[in-house]
Amino acid sequence: MEQTLLIYNTLSRRKEKFVPLHAPNVGMYVCGPTVYGDPHLGHARPAITFDILFRYLKHLGYKVRYVRNITDVGHLEHDADEGDDKIEKKARLEQLEPMEIAQHYTNRYHQAMDALNVLPPSIEPQATGHIIEQEELVKQILANGYAYESNGSVYFDIEKYNKDHRYGILSGRNLENIINESRSLAGIGEKRNQADFALWKKAQPEHIMRWPSPWSTGFPGWHCECTAMGRKYLGDHFDIHGGGMDLVFPHHECEIAQAVASQGDQMVRYWMHNNMITINGQKMGKSLGNFITLEQFFTGSHASLEQAYSAMTIRFFILSAHYRSTVDFSNDALKASEKGLERLMNGLEDLARVPVSDTCDDATEQFVRELRQRCYDAMNDDFQTQLVISYLFEACHVVNTLLDHKARICADCLKELSETMRLFACNLLGLRNEQADNNEQREEAYGKVVDMVLELRAKAKAEKNWAVSDQIRDALSAAGFEVKDTKDGVTWKLNK
């Protein structure tokens, strides 16, 4: 059955039917991390949100080119064209090359994404690898009269742009007052208006990361990279641009202005934004100093954490709320997610033990027949993952009822139930059974050693040395290994 997908478009402030510009191809750009520190919970939410979008679009049959950038230059300390480059500042503190800092934290980000089962994007461009494209963008904006050079730096002319277009179309902000107020500051500093933002910054003598340009030796402004790289890999017009809600202004607002100023129209059709993760109602972020890194969650090594939480618990926690709603961190919420994940994974495992009957109960058959479309309907309504999880919990209840012999299910219905639960829980929500994965890895690691010990036991049995044979079996049992003697030989498994 063909699915109709609705996406909330921040630009129009309403849900819209998703119609790709060049079906079946879909172009999607998502703002990635600024790699100057370990990834934290705030980084996990957009990564998981747009991983769900990536997975679902591919499931619907679209050929998705997913571009997620790495910001490794030009993101200034105060996001207002002032202060140090965040990566360069970190490099000076640690007496390393800036690209060492960027590479180290890019690797750390990838490790965290792997743990969270976030699929890698189709392309992961770095800002430093696209200086030429950013310079070309600045040249186009200058040529069209929407930027000016000042002391070797280039700034976007907000007042000029606002006369011809509307700056604030995405965020809904009215900047007329800001522009008028900034007139009194004209001539102070390099900017004509304090609302103007940097397209290119002249590097100070102590600045390490710098490139030649027609204006000065310097570096691009933060907002240029995504416009330049989005256009390079997805074209002048593409389907989806995503990121956290904190990027709506100024970053994405500036991206729209840059695109219109350089090519005459918008690049992006659907703007999607996930909401924030908060701590006591305040946004979690490095700049506020209230963040908890993902590594700290995985190990429990933070004062705010009562225990360690697995990567899948974090993923379940994020998916338990709609992506456009805020999620407030608490240990109680994470513990609830841990139990919910365990319940769902147990339900999936228990499917293998469900007894099959010749017929189904009417209620069971109806539930199974409707479950798949109910889950699709939730996903199609702007990715209501929390509803999908609630429907999967209902399915777990049905599985328990079947195991208790309080209902009957036929083979075809059981197959449909199993396929639906695995499709949405594992393939689309991206959840996996960490306990089972860990046991498989441990069994593989211990396998050769256990087999060697069992050979010693077999030798003892052959020599009728029953005391040694039993001692080996009991020792393995105490270590968590279950050993069984069968007519086909000895089997073993590692208990949970």
Side-chain angles (χ1 to χ4, degrees):
M1 182 178 176
E2 185 176 343
Q3 305 297 327
T4 299
L5 174 61
L6 297 178
I7 290 178
Y8 183 86
N9 190 346
T10 308
L11 187 64
S12 65
R13 295 166 180 75
R14 61 183 176 85
K15 293 178 187 177
E16 297 179 9
K17 181 179 178 181
F18 178 63
V19 181
L21 292 168
H22 306 290
N25 300 299
V26 171
M28 180 170 83
Y29 189 101
V30 174
C31 291
T34 303
V35 283
Y36 69 103
D38 272 338
H40 56 72
L41 191 61
H43 291 120
R45 193 169 198 195
I48 291 170
T49 295
F50 293 101
D51 182 57
I52 296 297
L53 176 58
F54 187 33
R55 287 171 181 267
Y56 193 62
L57 290 174
K58 291 199 299 181
H59 172 70
L60 294 182
Y62 293 114
K63 297 177 181 178
V64 185
R65 177 176 289 176
Y66 176 16
V67 181
R68 187 186 67 206
N69 70 298
I70 296 290
T71 296
D72 58 357
V73 67
H75 194 154
L76 301 183
E77 189 67 24
H78 302 294
D79 298 343
D81 313 321
E82 297 175 359
D84 293 333
D85 182 294
K86 293 179 179 180
I87 292 170
E88 191 163 292
K89 181 179 180 180
K90 185 86 169 182
R92 281 200 298 272
L93 289 172
E94 300 190 15
Q95 296 185 318
L96 296 170
E97 284 288 331
M99 294 314 292
E100 283 185 90
I101 296 292
Q103 189 62 58
H104 173 74
Y105 289 114
T106 298
N107 294 343
R108 296 281 288 171
Y109 179 77
H110 288 157
Q111 291 163 6
M113 294 305 104
D114 287 344
L116 291 168
N117 202 22
V118 171
L119 299 176
S122 314
I123 303 172
E124 191 173 56
Q126 294 172 293
T128 52
H130 298 78
I131 301 298
I132 293 174
E133 289 84 358
Q134 294 178 73
E135 288 186 10
E136 287 300 314
L137 173 67
V138 177
K139 289 177 185 177
Q140 290 169 359
I141 296 172
L142 274 167
N144 291 336
Y146 293 110
Y148 56 92
E149 185 180 349
S150 178
N151 298 326
S153 294
V154 180
Y155 294 96
F156 193 93
D157 192 334
I158 290 288
E159 186 171 22
K160 172 66 184 301
Y161 180 83
N162 213 49
K163 287 178 181 177
D164 301 333
H165 307 284
R166 183 191 162 198
Y167 184 79
I169 191 172
L170 184 68
S171 62
R173 298 191 181 204
N174 185 342
L175 296 187
E176 289 292 342
N177 292 336
I178 295 175
I179 293 171
N180 290 334
E181 288 169 7
S182 71
R183 291 183 194 279
S184 62
L185 298 173
I188 300 176
E190 295 180 344
K191 298 181 182 182
R192 293 177 184 170
N193 290 301
Q194 295 309 301
D196 295 346
F197 59 90
L199 298 172
W200 186 265
K201 288 285 286 183
K202 180 180 179 179
Q204 298 302 311
E206 68 275 10
H207 203 93
I208 305 170
M209 301 178 80
R210 54 173 66 208
W211 292 265
S213 80
W215 317 287
S216 65
T217 297
F219 56 95
W222 170 36
H223 310 302
C224 290
E225 61 178 285
C226 292
T227 304
M229 293 190 292
R231 183 157 61 187
K232 178 179 176 67
Y233 294 109
L234 299 173
D236 291 348
H237 304 94
F238 58 89
D239 298 297
I240 299 169
H241 194 319
M245 200 169 284
D246 56 331
L247 297 179
V248 172
F249 188 90
H251 186 47
H252 290 165
E253 195 73 74
C254 293
E255 277 198 65
I256 290 176
Q258 288 172 160
V260 175
S262 63
Q263 68 182 41
D265 61 356
Q266 266 251 40
M267 290 171 60
V268 180
R269 186 164 187 180
Y270 302 91
W271 287 89
M272 293 182 67
H273 296 91
N274 63 275
N275 214 321
M276 299 295 98
I277 291 181
T278 58
I279 297 182
N280 299 321
Q282 186 181 38
K283 173 200 164 187
M284 177 183 290
K286 285 194 180 78
S287 60
L288 299 172
N290 66 348
F291 65 95
I292 304 174
T293 70
L294 291 171
E295 182 68 21
Q296 289 170 327
F297 274 104
F298 301 159
T299 60
S301 55
H302 190 280
S304 299
L305 301 174
E306 296 176 5
Q307 63 176 69
Y309 299 98
S310 73
M312 283 302 101
T313 298
I314 298 298
R315 187 176 180 106
F316 189 93
F317 168 68
I318 289 172
L319 294 177
S320 295
H322 188 249
Y323 77 91
R324 287 192 288 111
S325 65
T326 56
V327 178
D328 199 53
F329 157 80
S330 71
N331 281 280
D332 288 344
L334 283 169
K335 288 175 183 177
S337 293
E338 188 174 57
K339 290 180 180 178
L341 175 66
E342 182 180 15
R343 178 185 173 192
L344 181 54
M345 292 300 111
N346 287 341
L348 288 169
E349 280 197 354
D350 288 343
L351 284 164
R353 301 191 295 112
V354 170
V356 178
S357 301
D358 293 333
T359 59
C360 284
D361 293 316
D362 290 343
T364 303
E365 184 176 6
Q366 183 176 354
F367 175 84
V368 172
R369 189 171 63 247
E370 295 175 353
L371 177 62
R372 185 181 294 255
Q373 192 56 51
R374 289 173 70 201
C375 290
Y376 272 129
D377 289 344
M379 291 294 285
N380 290 334
D381 184 18
D382 194 36
F383 306 99
Q384 302 278 349
T385 55
Q386 79 285 1
L387 284 181
V388 175
I389 289 173
S390 72
Y391 299 153
L392 293 173
F393 280 162
E394 290 180 31
C396 290
H397 176 73
V398 169
V399 170
N400 289 333
T401 302
L402 293 165
L403 290 174
D404 291 341
H405 302 281
K406 295 179 180 177
R408 299 188 312 276
I409 192 168
C410 65
D412 287 345
C413 275
L414 180 59
K415 181 173 181 288
E416 170 65 12
L417 178 61
S418 178
E419 288 179 355
T420 299
M421 289 181 69
R422 295 185 192 284
L423 168 64
F424 285 93
C426 304
N427 297 358
L428 298 181
L429 295 188
L431 298 167
R432 62 187 178 202
N433 192 331
E434 290 168 308
Q435 186 65 55
D437 291 345
N438 290 339
N439 283 346
E440 285 182 15
Q441 292 171 5
R442 288 162 65 197
E443 286 182 12
E444 184 177 348
Y446 296 146
K448 292 182 179 179
V449 176
V450 175
D451 289 342
M452 182 179 69
V453 172
L454 289 176
E455 285 180 14
L456 295 175
R457 179 171 179 262
K459 183 178 179 181
K461 288 179 69 175
E463 295 172 353
K464 301 188 185 303
N465 191 341
W466 310 117
V468 171
S469 171
D470 291 345
Q471 184 181 8
I472 291 173
R473 183 196 61 205
D474 293 343
L476 285 171
S477 177
F481 297 92
E482 183 180 334
V483 178
K484 288 185 178 180
D485 293 299
T486 70
K487 62 179 181 180
D488 296 319
V490 181
T491 64
W492 66 273
K493 70 175 183 177
L494 182 61
N495 290 321
K496 293 182 181 180

